[in-house]
Amino acid sequence: MTLAIESLDKLLTPQGVVPQQGAVWLVGAGPGDVELLTVKALRLLHCAEVVVYDRLVSEAVMAEVPESALCIDVGKQPGQHGLKQAQINQLLIDLACSGRDVIRLKGGDPFIFGRGGEEMVSLQQAGIRCEVVPGITAAVGCAAASGIPLTHRDCAQSLRLITGHGRSGEPQLDAAAVAAGNQTLVFYMGLSWSASISAQLQAQGRDAETPVAIIENGTRPDQRVLITTLAGLAQTVAQEKPVSPSLLLVGEVVRYYRADLQVGALARVAAC
Ligand code: SAH
C-alpha cells in the first residue's frame, strides 16, 4: 500500500497507548536489478512493515515488498524537491517512535552518496536502534553490467568515486586527485555538469582522448551505454540526451567495453 505524505500525520498520531519503540534498517537496494539485492536486504524486504524509499529504488525491487506494507515515497526528481533531508530524518524517528520497524530503502549503497550517514547519526542521536545493510553501489553494478573493469593492472591502479554535483551545483574537482592518468574516475550525479567535469579534467592535464562511458539506467532492462572521450563528452550528452540515473566512467578501462559482447545475456539464459 502506497501512502501519501499528507496522510502521515494520521498514521503517527498516538492512539492512547505508548508504543514500544521500533528500529530502522538503512538498506541498500543496489542499482536496479533485483538479483543484485543482498540476501539480507531481500529477507528484510519480505517481512517489511513500513518502507521509506527513494526515487532510485527500481520497480523490480519494490515489487519484493509485500502488499501489506506501507510504502512511503520520499524521493526527489533531479531539479525538484521531495521531502527535505531534515524532514526525512524526522519521519524515520517518528515512525520508529510510533512503534514501527522501518526499512529505509536507498538506491545503491546507503553510505555512498546516499546521505545514509546523516540518517544514521540522526537516528542514533534520537536513541533509535539502527542497522545498515550495504548494497551494490552504482559504480560496481554499472561496471559489471557493461563489462568495464574498474581497475586493471595495465592501466588503472586505483578507483575514485566522485560526486559530480557540488554543494551549490557545479563541482570543484580536487586538481591533485584527478590529474593522474592511471586511475578510474567514476562520477555520480555528474550528468548535468558533464561539460564542466570534462573541462576541469582536461585543464588538469587529462588527455582529451581519454575514453568515457556514460551508463544510463545501469543493470536495468533499459540500460544504455554511450562511449565517448573527454573532448566529446559534452557533445555526446547534448546529442544523445541520457537521462537520470546515469554514471560517468572515465579512464583507460573504458576501452574494454565491447558493445557486441552483450554483458548480462548469460544471466538471462541461466534461469535455474
Ligand atoms: N547510493 C547510490 C548513489 C546515490 S547518488 C549508490 O551507491 O549507487 C545518485 C547517482 O547515482 C545518480 O545520479 C547516478 O549518477 C548514480 N546511479 C544510481 N543508480 C544508477 C544506475 N542504475 N545507473 C546509472 N547510474 C546510477
Side-chain angles (χ1 to χ4, degrees):
M1 184 201 321
T2 305
L3 189 78
I5 303 274
E6 305 76 56
S7 322
L8 282 173
D9 273 354
K10 213 159 139 208
L11 176 75
L12 296 169
T13 306
Q15 307 291 310
V17 276
V18 180
Q20 197 187 349
Q21 198 180 77
V24 178
W25 283 260
L26 296 177
V27 178
D33 178 353
V34 67
E35 295 204 318
L36 295 180
L37 280 171
T38 63
V39 174
K40 191 167 189 174
L42 192 61
R43 181 176 62 75
L44 286 165
L45 281 187
H46 281 169
C47 56
E49 189 185 358
V50 179
V51 178
V52 177
Y53 67 102
D54 276 344
R55 173 184 64 86
L56 279 177
V57 178
S58 69
E59 283 176 20
V61 168
M62 285 308 291
E64 294 297 325
V65 177
E67 287 268 309
S68 57
L70 281 180
C71 295
I72 305 172
D73 178 2
V74 293
K76 296 187 195 84
Q77 296 296 333
Q80 295 173 15
H81 289 287
L83 281 191
K84 291 206 161 48
Q85 188 61 50
Q87 293 173 301
I88 297 174
N89 295 352
Q90 193 57 48
L91 173 64
L92 297 177
I93 293 170
D94 291 345
L95 285 166
C97 288
S98 72
R100 285 160 178 98
D101 280 336
V102 183
I103 304 298
R104 171 65 173 119
L105 194 56
K106 291 171 158 293
D109 180 86
F111 276 180
I112 297 185
F113 304 127
R115 303 189 75 170
E118 293 167 50
E119 292 177 14
M120 180 188 69
V121 169
S122 140
L123 289 162
Q124 287 168 341
Q125 284 171 347
I128 289 164
R129 287 171 303 144
C130 161
E131 189 184 335
V132 180
V133 179
I136 291 190
T137 191
V140 172
C142 290
S146 60
I148 299 173
L150 289 172
T151 65
H152 194 291
R153 281 206 302 179
D154 292 343
C155 58
Q157 273 81 54
S158 67
L159 164 69
R160 221 172 255 281
L161 307 184
I162 306 174
T163 173
H165 193 96
R167 269 192 179 255
S168 52
E170 184 170 7
Q172 301 302 321
L173 302 186
D174 175 347
V178 297
N182 58 349
Q183 60 176 331
T184 304
L185 307 177
V186 181
F187 291 92
Y188 287 66
M189 300 168 280
L191 200 54
S192 39
W193 293 106
S194 48
S196 166
I197 290 169
S198 157
Q200 290 186 54
L201 291 179
Q202 290 179 75
Q204 296 314 324
R206 296 296 297 254
D207 192 323
E209 292 309 307
T210 306
V212 178
I214 304 167
I215 303 173
E216 175 191 66
N217 285 313
T219 81
R220 302 176 183 207
D222 48 355
Q223 170 174 302
R224 182 162 70 132
V225 182
L226 302 167
I227 303 294
T228 180
T229 59
L230 271 186
L233 178 59
Q235 198 187 349
T236 304
V237 170
Q239 270 172 5
E240 301 290 336
K241 300 187 175 40
V243 295
S244 177
S246 286
L247 208 65
L248 306 180
L249 228 144
V250 180
E252 294 303 318
V253 286
V254 171
R255 297 192 195 281
Y256 287 89
Y257 175 70
R258 291 264 311 271
D260 54 324
L261 283 187
Q262 277 213 45
V263 173
L266 276 183
R268 282 195 290 278
V269 293
C272 52

